[in-house]
């Protein structure tokens, strides 16, 4: 039987035909794959805004997990008739898997109200002179390198090392994450001299619970950007002063600089 409609949207036409969407909820792109014993959804918040909402999924399974492709961790989700409460950072993506044959996990998805503490201590930043950097600097306020009036900072490409310390006295915190504002870099995180992991994609945070101690903690961030800004800066110099080879093949003096380094708050979110 064919149904021909007019003067309505596609969503209205599908609803009239009794075809309900695979996922109902705000601001999501999704892909849905069915296997013999599961429904697998890839979900993407395509907006620049954080989202917290209830989503209705087209599934008959009563159990679900969130699979984080960045960390590899799996989290239990509470399901009620296909409805799941989810939260997304801007531009964040992950998988939600429905099945009655999922392995058990003790970890529950962070979907409640989290507490936040901003690290407001002074930062020591080192720009490698071998990459055209200025060496050590101090700053209280973090801002992108490409916004600096100093050309050695504005056009810097490579790794800059950020050091600071902070006090931690929340003995009742079950889990703690280091939270960065959105950036365009690869960040390796060290807490108290131990490598905790890296941050390179939304939601721009990292679980640092095992590395924290009560009292004073040392934090080191190795922040690496691409060579785009250095290539643009090299076009302003003579050939024998350049650090890149043939930058004109990739950029022009008018090419836009990419946001580089850290900007805004570095904070600790915990529950």
């Amino acid at each position: 039987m064919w149904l021909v409609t007019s003067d309505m949207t596609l969503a209205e036409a599908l609803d009239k035909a009794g075809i309900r969407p695979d996922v109902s909820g705000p601001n999501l792109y999704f892909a849905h794959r069915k296997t013999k014993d599961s429904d697998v959804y890839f979900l993407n918040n395509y907006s620049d805004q954080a989202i917290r909402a209830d989503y209705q999924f087209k599934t008959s399974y009563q159990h679900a997990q969130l699979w984080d492709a960045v960390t590899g961790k799996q989290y239990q989700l509470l399901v009620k008739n296909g409805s799941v409460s989810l939260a997304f950072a801007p531009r964040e993506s992950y998988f939600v898997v429905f099945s009655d044959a999922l392995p058990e996990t003790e970890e529950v998805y962070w979907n409640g109200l989290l507490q936040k503490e901003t690290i407001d201590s002074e930062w020591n930043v080192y720009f490698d002179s071998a990459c055209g950097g200025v060496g050590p600097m101090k700053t209280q306020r973090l801002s992108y390198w490409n916004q600096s009036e100093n050309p050695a900072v504005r056009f810097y490409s490579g790794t800059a090392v950020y050091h600071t310390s902070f006090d931690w006295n929340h003995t009742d915190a079950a889990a703690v994450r280091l939270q960065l504002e959105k950036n365009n870099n690869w960040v390796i995180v060290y807490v108290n001299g131990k490598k905790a992991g890296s941050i390179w994609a939304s939601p721009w945070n990292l679980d640092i619970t095992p590395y924290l101690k009560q009292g004073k903690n040392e934090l080191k961030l190795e922040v690496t950007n691409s060579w785009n800004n250095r290539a643009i800066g090299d076009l302003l110099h003579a050939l024998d002063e350049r650090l890149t080879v043939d930058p004109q093949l990739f950029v022009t003096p008018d090419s836009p600089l990419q946001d580089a380094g850290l900007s805004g708050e570095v904070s600790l979110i915990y529950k």
Side-chain angles (χ1 to χ4, degrees), residues 128-143:
D128 192 349
S129 58
C131 296
V134 296
M137 295 179 60
K138 292 182 181 293
T139 182
Q140 189 73 37
R141 177 180 174 273
L142 297 176
S143 59

Side-chain angles (χ1 to χ4, degrees), residues 3 17 19 41 45 51 67 73 76 89 91-92 145 153 160-161 170 194 203 205 212 219 227:
L3 175 66
I19 302 173
Y41 288 86
N45 172 14
I51 300 173
W67 291 5
K73 290 186 176 181
Q76 290 294 128
R91 303 289 175 178
E92 185 179 12
W145 308 337
V153 177
V161 183
H170 299 280
K194 296 181 179 179
N205 64 41
L212 280 177
L219 177 64
W227 279 92

Side-chain angles (χ1 to χ4, degrees), residues 12 17 52 83 87 93 103 107 112 116 120 133 155 161 164 166 169 178 211 226 229 253:
E12 291 170 339
R52 185 183 300 275
S83 178
S93 301
E107 294 199 74
K116 174 181 173 182
D120 57 4
F155 297 112
V161 183
T164 195
F166 61 92
N169 299 298
L178 182 74
Y211 307 96
S226 76
N229 295 356

Side-chain angles (χ1 to χ4, degrees), residues 245-262:
V245 178
D246 293 331
Q248 71 279 0
L249 297 178
F250 310 100
V251 295
T252 71
D254 298 323
S255 294
L257 294 174
Q258 295 177 349
D259 288 340
L262 300 179

